Amino acid sequence: MQYSKKVMDHFMNPRNMGTIEGASGVGEVGNPQCGDIMKIYLDIDDEGIIKDVKFKTFGCGSAIASSSMATEMIKGKTIHEALELTNKAVAEALDGLPPVKMHCSVLAEQAVKSALLDYAKKNNIVIPELENYEFDDAHEHEHEEE
Ligand code: FES
């Protein structure tokens, strides 16, 4: 299986690994098939800007690289911009993932959305984009890539 240099780099030197004490929002998602788990912590200021992001991933190398890349992509962005982060964008930013590893990037997209949903709940705000978002469709995406 061939991994891009970027995947290897983010796997060997993950960015933003760790946790945030008193985070504005925390998201946790898992893939039932592989058992991997990803947690994302967001620190969001009053203007709705993501000041800091950290992650903890118990999973494969592609999941670690995907979470590392996803945190870099949403750091300093608005909530709205973070909502637009797709697993495809994460995979592309990593110069691609092998087809059987696409679901690892889905986990990153879901973890970010799950953390944003947690933030919304804590602050009594509604994020319309997340109202009908399916958090457990990781294997559907996987089939799409097959
Ligand atoms: Fe499941 Fe990578 S193998 S997240």
Side-chain angles (χ1 to χ4, degrees), residues 31 34-36 59-60 62-63 101 103-104 107:
N31 181 299
C34 61
D36 292 353
C60 74
S62 298
K101 290 287 173 180
H103 80 272
C104 317
L107 224 46

Side-chain angles (χ1 to χ4, degrees), residues 10-63:
H10 279 262
F11 169 57
M12 304 295 269
N13 310 292
R15 328 294 201 265
N16 307 309
M17 202 163 54
T19 61
I20 295 176
E21 196 76 25
S24 322
V26 182
E28 180 174 339
V29 291
N31 181 299
Q33 286 185 328
C34 61
D36 292 353
I37 295 168
M38 194 180 288
K39 235 173 155 172
I40 296 255
Y41 301 77
L42 300 175
D43 180 17
I44 300 173
D45 73 6
D46 295 341
E47 255 95 80
I49 307 288
I50 299 168
K51 285 285 171 210
D52 200 10
V53 201
K54 296 268 191 245
F55 81 89
K56 264 203 327 204
T57 293
F58 189 85
C60 74
S62 298

Side-chain angles (χ1 to χ4, degrees), residues 18 21 26 57 66 79-80 83 89 130-132 138:
E21 196 76 25
V26 182
T57 293
S66 295
I79 292 171
H80 196 78
L83 278 169
L130 292 180
E131 288 297 287
N132 297 310

Side-chain angles (χ1 to χ4, degrees), residues 49-101:
I49 307 288
I50 299 168
K51 285 285 171 210
D52 200 10
V53 201
K54 296 268 191 245
F55 81 89
K56 264 203 327 204
T57 293
F58 189 85
C60 74
S62 298
I64 290 166
S66 295
S67 28
S68 168
M69 180 55 87
T71 58
E72 284 216 310
M73 290 171 85
I74 62 167
K75 199 169 180 171
K77 299 282 168 64
T78 64
I79 292 171
H80 196 78
E81 286 166 330
L83 278 169
E84 286 174 353
L85 183 81
T86 62
N87 80 294
K88 285 207 171 74
V90 173
E92 268 164 30
L94 288 168
D95 289 340
L97 283 170
V100 295
K101 290 287 173 180

